[in-house]
Amino acid sequence: SKVAYYIKSNGFVPLLCACDTFRSGAVEQLRVHAQALDVPLFQKGYGNDAAQIAADGIAHAQAMGYDAVLVDTAGRMQDNEPLMRALAKLVHVNSPDLVLFVGEALAGNDAVDQVTGFNASLAQYAGGKAPRLIDGVILTKFDTINDKVGAALNLVYTTGKPVVFVGVGQTYEDIRNLNVEHVVRALTG
């Protein structure tokens, strides 16, 4: 929802696409955010194929002239095979412009293990196709780690991908680009 706010505040119209068909209440939670942000929501409920919902949502966004589609998927642990297979299918069927890994800054170096496993699972479940891995990282709760920014640095080093955004609070507005100077000062200061 913070990314939707960011996109909307920059003059574009995002569509939120509810592809978390696993977690009870996920669609309703996303609906609350869509209403609060006054952005459209595409959803087909629970128990459906997330890859097909994303494809239908993308087609709907194109037909309506929306500028971006934000596909909200179930939170995934890299060792949950059925969920990782579903995510890999969604990515490979829909060929998104951007695949972002969302992790908590509080996880520290566990986040490195998570993203490594996440990419490995995407590659493993690619179904014989060239694997599509992550393009970047969003770190939530970045405001709670003070000078402990090593995990962000390790994520960038391990993946070779940038930290695209950091969450720095509870409101929609609390999303920022990573301030590299702040990270360097925290590491050397």
Side-chain angles (χ1 to χ4, degrees):
S1 56
K2 288 180 182 181
V3 175
Y5 170 83
Y6 180 86
I7 290 170
K8 184 177 178 182
S9 68
N10 281 283
F12 300 99
V13 180
L15 171 72
L16 295 179
C17 189
C19 292
D20 182 347
T21 63
F22 177 75
R23 185 175 58 87
S24 178
V27 174
E28 292 79 9
Q29 182 180 23
L30 197 58
R31 181 179 297 116
V32 167
H33 289 297
Q35 289 171 344
L37 291 167
D38 192 29
V39 298
L41 172 69
F42 185 88
Q43 61 91 20
K44 289 192 171 183
Y46 297 97
N48 297 306
D49 179 24
Q52 187 60 54
I53 295 170
D56 293 345
I58 292 165
H60 176 73
Q62 289 170 337
M64 299 300 294
Y66 299 135
D67 300 304
V69 178
L70 298 174
V71 177
D72 180 55
T73 63
R76 286 168 166 75
M77 292 306 296
Q78 67 275 11
D79 57 354
N80 185 319
E81 182 180 332
L83 288 179
M84 288 310 303
R85 280 188 189 276
L87 178 63
K89 178 183 176 186
L90 186 150
V91 169
H92 293 290
V93 165
N94 292 289
S95 299
D97 293 325
L98 198 60
V99 177
L100 297 174
F101 173 82
V102 180
E104 286 189 6
L106 291 173
N109 286 324
D110 287 343
V112 173
D113 295 337
Q114 290 171 3
V115 76
T116 301
F118 191 84
N119 266 339
S121 293
L122 285 177
Q124 178 181 354
Y125 302 126
K129 300 176 184 173
R132 171 68 188 278
L133 307 180
I134 69 158
D135 298 303
V137 175
I138 296 176
L139 281 176
T140 64
K141 301 179 183 172
F142 198 74
D143 56 314
T144 62
I145 62 169
N146 297 328
D147 61 345
K148 300 176 188 101
V149 296
L153 188 63
N154 284 340
L155 281 170
V156 170
Y157 178 78
T158 300
T159 64
K161 304 298 180 184
V163 174
V164 179
F165 289 115
V166 293
V168 294
Q170 298 297 314
T171 68
Y172 296 124
E173 297 88 1
D174 291 330
I175 184 171
R176 305 282 186 274
N177 295 107
L178 182 64
N179 183 329
V180 176
E181 289 179 12
H182 168 76
V183 172
V184 171
R185 276 196 309 272
L187 289 171
T188 60

